[in-house]
Amino acid sequence: MKEGLEHNMNDFIQFAVLGLGVGGVYAIAAQGLVLTYRGSGVLNLAHGAMALLGAALYTELHEDQGAPLLVSFAIPIAVCALLGLLIYFGVMRLLRRASPLARLVATLGVLGVLQASSGLRYGTEIEFVAPILPSHTWEPWGGVKVGSDRIYLLLIAAGVTVLLWAVYRFTAFGRSTSAVAENERSAAALGVSSDVVAAANWALGGALAAVAGVLVVPITGFAPGTLALLIVPVLASAMIGSFASFPLTLLGGAVIGVAQSLMGRYVHTTGWADSAPFLVIIALLALRGRALPLRGFLTDRLPRVGTGRIAAGPVVTGLVVVSALILLLPVNGVNALTTTFVVAVIALSVVVVTGYAGQVSLAQYAFAGIGAFVSARLAQTQGLPFWAAFVAGVVAAVPVGLLFALPALRTRGVNLAVATLGLALAVERLVLGNKDYTGGFAGTVVKPPALFGFSLDSTAHPERYAFLCLTLFAVAALLVANLRRGRAGRRLLATRANERAAASLGIGTVGAKLYAFALAGAIAAAAGVLLAFRYPNVGFTGYSVFDSMNIVVLTFLGGVGYIGGALLAGGLAVGGALTELVMNLIDLNKYATLATSVALILIVINDPNGMAFRLTRIASALRELLPDRWRGTDVTEPVDVAETGASPTRSTPRQLVVDNLTVRFGGVVALNGVGLTVRPGEIVGLIGPNGAGKTTLIDSVTGFCRTSEGRITLDGEDVGSLSARRRALAGLGRSFQNLELFEDMTVADNLRSACDERDAFAYVSGLFLSRRRPLPPLAQRVARDFELADDLHRLPGELSYGRRRLLAIARAVARHPSILLLDEPAAGLDEHETAELGGLLRRIAEEWGTGILLVEHDMGLVMSLCDRLIVLDFGTLLMEGPPDDVREDERVRAAYLGRARDRADDEEPASMEEPKAEVKP
């Protein structure tokens, strides 16, 4: 027995060491990924393909041409470093102001170019490569035998890590990279060139990718079709290091390598060796994430979003034309249309989850695969008819969508994209790639679909199957259009635009994300069912992570915020109508993928909003050229505001009491035992020098900042443990210093989003009920009072800064809160606008009974408007009393003047004597 235990332990150690070697390669590649992310903020999904290029060049030079080892090693490193420079200056630098999604899609375009080029030159055959490192067998102690090459790989990875750590910690270049990663604008103010930093890091990242590719190819062999998948464990390693820490990235690579090796040895279920480490990392990532972004979190704008309004004439005309094509075209043309409609349905799921909800998901083909798997297996094993299998496949994808949504509740941006990619890989390897589940070597065979005794066999009746797919797309598109125009759509757009602002209006961002993933999963699964039943022999290999990446690319090209963009994505897919048309006009043959990838990069650079956005603009311009009688019905919805209206309903009277509030950030005390009271109908001013803690107090009271001590009550009810959303529903409203508007909604929809009911039924009814309700009376009153009635159809970005700020305040008021906390509402307003704002706030307090806590630096507005003033200094309550008493208090004067002397610039502090503007009653 003792010998058996010893043998098992030796076996365990040997496989762990094998994993350490591979983990070292993962770590080297991941360090390069960390460099490109730190230097430019771009997640380079083409990093694995760059490693593929390095491996290809080494194999060709050393194995095929017989070049010396050092030359064969150095040339791939130099070429990939140069490639990194070309990618940055040729693509990424041009996309510096584009959305993160645009930059991510651009790297997918680079991935496509590198993969297609590799396939054209090297084919798909695996070529075995001789070892580079000494591969002697070492026996460090009895019975344990390890390969020396694996130890050398780990030592190389450790050496690279130590070198990078030292360079980036102790050199000027390293400090510059850290400065750019922390704050690009501040770094530029210090004379640091972000271009130089980014370019150098892209070059270094490319070089490290080449090193990893060259070192791994003797282990795996040169396999052009699979080497790009190196990106998956590399992403996981970089995630462990938070895309920042070199030592933790090394640890991550080693852990993943060992875990994969041991699971490959001891776990015999297909797929676990590749999937389990990633799933554990995703769980850790979700645990250490945040439910809401920090105040300093900046979200770049995603591409534009369509209105969801349906122009009946063009839609009916399009359906008639497509129906005629299905009936008239030959079989190849009909099959191309079928492919277009099916892929367009999957693209609609991307429109929902990414275009509307702003969640970057790289897993949509995994949902389609679940729909195909469940429906086909049930049809074969249980004899379910097509319609029942269809329903089962769609329903089964909903809980899977909810599962995929869990990382979105705690992560966002790059981390969310990687998490969904990992989950998609798990579905691919554990379910769709497991022959124990998919029917063994015999596979899955289904009967031709039929409805009501009417055969829909795609082989015997391709036109019937095309009509089925067209019907599914039309229904799904109608549901998505209804969603966009309704309350649920506004919740998704609010979540996409600004989660903090959405929560401040009582919008459940958690529910919105769960709903978006569940609905997107169901839509993609419906398309997956049609893919499964298209032919009798069902294959489950067409639902890979690369397919999921590709559908995001295609939808982005078409227009990720537009229903028409989904249809264009279907046409651009392999076998789609547009692709087949181009192939018939231009014989691209084997260069089709390469040409598509190059076109993708060019389109992303020139028009990141997608083709549908550009076509919409062109159609609008052409329509304006037509005579009035030929223009047809204007699909732009008019928003009317009554000239007069009844007095607003008074808000529910509630008193806000803050007692002994303390907030600490590490060792810094931002607020120290602050207490205040705001009564119904009262305006209380909160003033103090910059850095006194005023915004922190508002964040704490409204639930956006954790409190260390103290109690917050609303009409005697403790709300300190409630989330920001629940505090908003309880009656706490607020505005933000940085406005935080919903940029892709019109002014009217910004106000609607505040007035909308928060019922869960809207997530269901919004799909089927498309009736557009008029602007609520309260929103009409707010629009009129804030003089926004003429701007209701405009987007916030079309307004001046002063009117944008008025919109931010109006939206907070439209929620009809009991207590309204305003953070510098007059900033950026001229004297007239400030006076008008003061009058509006006074009327809101007196006529609506709303209590207002006003944070403002305009002393003229504060002194003439507020009933009481509270003064903070360094997070401590300095004084509370009527404005006249505060104006004369020496401690207050000393605090303001003392801070002014400490400031580095020559800006004159706000005067407490001369009012800037009189409040208009």
Side-chain angles (χ1 to χ4, degrees), residues 684-685 687 862-863 866-871 879-883 886:
V684 178
I687 64 173
V862 170
M863 293 295 174
C866 296
D867 301 306
R868 288 184 296 117
L869 294 182
I870 297 171
V871 185
M879 181 186 179
E880 178 178 359
V886 171

Side-chain angles (χ1 to χ4, degrees), residues 145-177:
K145 298 179 180 179
V146 298
S148 61
D149 59 332
R150 305 308 171 97
I151 302 298
Y152 286 132
L153 286 173
L154 182 62
L155 291 176
I156 292 171
V160 169
T161 300
V162 171
L163 180 62
L164 290 173
W165 176 81
V167 168
Y168 281 80
R169 185 175 181 86
F170 298 112
T171 68
F173 171 72
R175 289 190 292 270
S176 297
T177 300

Side-chain angles (χ1 to χ4, degrees), residues 578-903:
L578 293 177
T579 302
E580 290 299 307
L581 178 62
V582 172
M583 293 288 287
N584 287 330
L585 295 176
I586 306 172
D587 186 13
L588 294 175
N589 198 5
K590 57 185 178 180
Y591 298 100
T593 303
L594 179 62
T596 301
S597 299
V598 172
L600 162 67
I601 295 172
L602 295 176
I603 292 174
V604 171
I605 291 173
N606 289 285
D607 194 356
N609 289 310
M611 297 164 61
F613 170 77
R614 186 59 53 197
L615 292 174
T616 301
R617 286 292 185 89
I618 294 172
S620 298
L622 292 176
R623 187 171 173 274
E624 291 298 320
L625 298 176
L626 296 175
D628 291 343
R629 64 180 182 277
W630 291 355
R631 291 184 184 181
T633 303
D634 192 347
V635 297
T636 302
E637 178 196 9
V639 184
D640 296 325
V641 177
E643 292 296 328
T644 60
S647 299
T649 303
R650 291 181 67 83
S651 59
T652 305
R654 290 188 175 95
Q655 178 174 280
L656 172 67
V657 177
V658 177
D659 182 39
N660 194 36
L661 186 65
T662 300
V663 176
R664 298 186 180 91
F665 298 111
V668 178
V669 180
L671 292 174
N672 186 16
V674 175
L676 58 84
T677 299
V678 181
R679 303 177 183 88
E682 180 184 36
I683 301 179
V684 178
L686 181 63
I687 64 173
N690 289 331
K694 304 182 294 296
T695 298
T696 299
L697 188 142
I698 289 182
D699 284 347
S700 301
V701 171
T702 53
F704 292 92
C705 176
R706 291 183 179 180
T707 59
S708 303
E709 299 174 17
R711 193 163 181 260
I712 303 169
T713 62
L714 198 58
D715 231 28
E717 180 183 352
D718 193 338
V719 297
S721 61
L722 301 182
S723 65
R725 169 182 170 267
R726 294 182 63 189
R727 295 189 202 193
L729 294 176
L732 284 176
R734 68 165 295 176
S735 70
F736 295 87
Q737 239 179 354
N738 296 325
L739 305 187
E740 308 201 17
L741 298 170
F742 304 140
E743 298 290 347
D744 289 305
M745 292 192 210
T746 61
V747 171
D749 276 351
N750 266 270
L751 297 179
R752 278 195 178 98
S753 67
C755 299
D756 282 340
E757 296 178 14
R758 300 292 180 243
D759 59 310
F761 184 63
Y763 287 126
V764 178
S765 63
L767 294 173
F768 304 100
L769 303 177
S770 60
R771 183 172 63 88
R772 185 76 166 192
R773 298 178 180 179
L775 199 64
L778 180 58
Q780 291 191 37
R781 174 65 185 261
V782 169
R784 187 173 60 255
D785 287 350
F786 282 83
E787 299 182 356
L788 294 169
D790 294 334
D791 299 319
L792 291 174
H793 64 286
R794 295 190 176 96
L795 293 173
E798 299 171 7
L799 305 179
S800 66
Y801 179 80
R803 300 195 70 74
R804 284 167 57 83
R805 183 161 287 280
L806 288 175
L807 172 59
I809 302 166
R811 187 184 63 187
V813 171
R815 186 61 197 159
H816 212 198
S818 299
I819 302 294
L820 180 61
L821 298 90
L822 299 175
D823 197 352
E824 299 190 24
L829 302 185
D830 61 29
E831 185 173 338
H832 171 75
E833 291 171 327
T834 299
E836 292 285 349
L837 173 63
L840 281 172
L841 296 181
R842 174 50 65 188
R843 292 207 306 274
I844 290 169
E846 293 179 353
E847 297 178 13
W848 299 19
T850 303
I852 298 176
L853 180 66
L854 176 67
V855 171
E856 184 54 64
H857 286 290
D858 184 343
M859 289 298 107
L861 176 65
V862 170
M863 293 295 174
S864 60
L865 178 64
C866 296
D867 301 306
R868 288 184 296 117
L869 294 182
I870 297 171
V871 185
L872 291 183
D873 189 31
F874 289 109
T876 302
L877 181 63
L878 186 63
M879 181 186 179
E880 178 178 359
D884 290 340
D885 293 351
V886 171
R887 179 188 287 115
E888 302 301 327
D889 192 274
E890 292 299 327
R891 294 172 300 169
V892 176
R893 290 176 175 272
Y896 271 88
L897 294 174
R899 267 318 161 85
R901 283 193 297 267
D902 292 338
R903 290 166 61 179

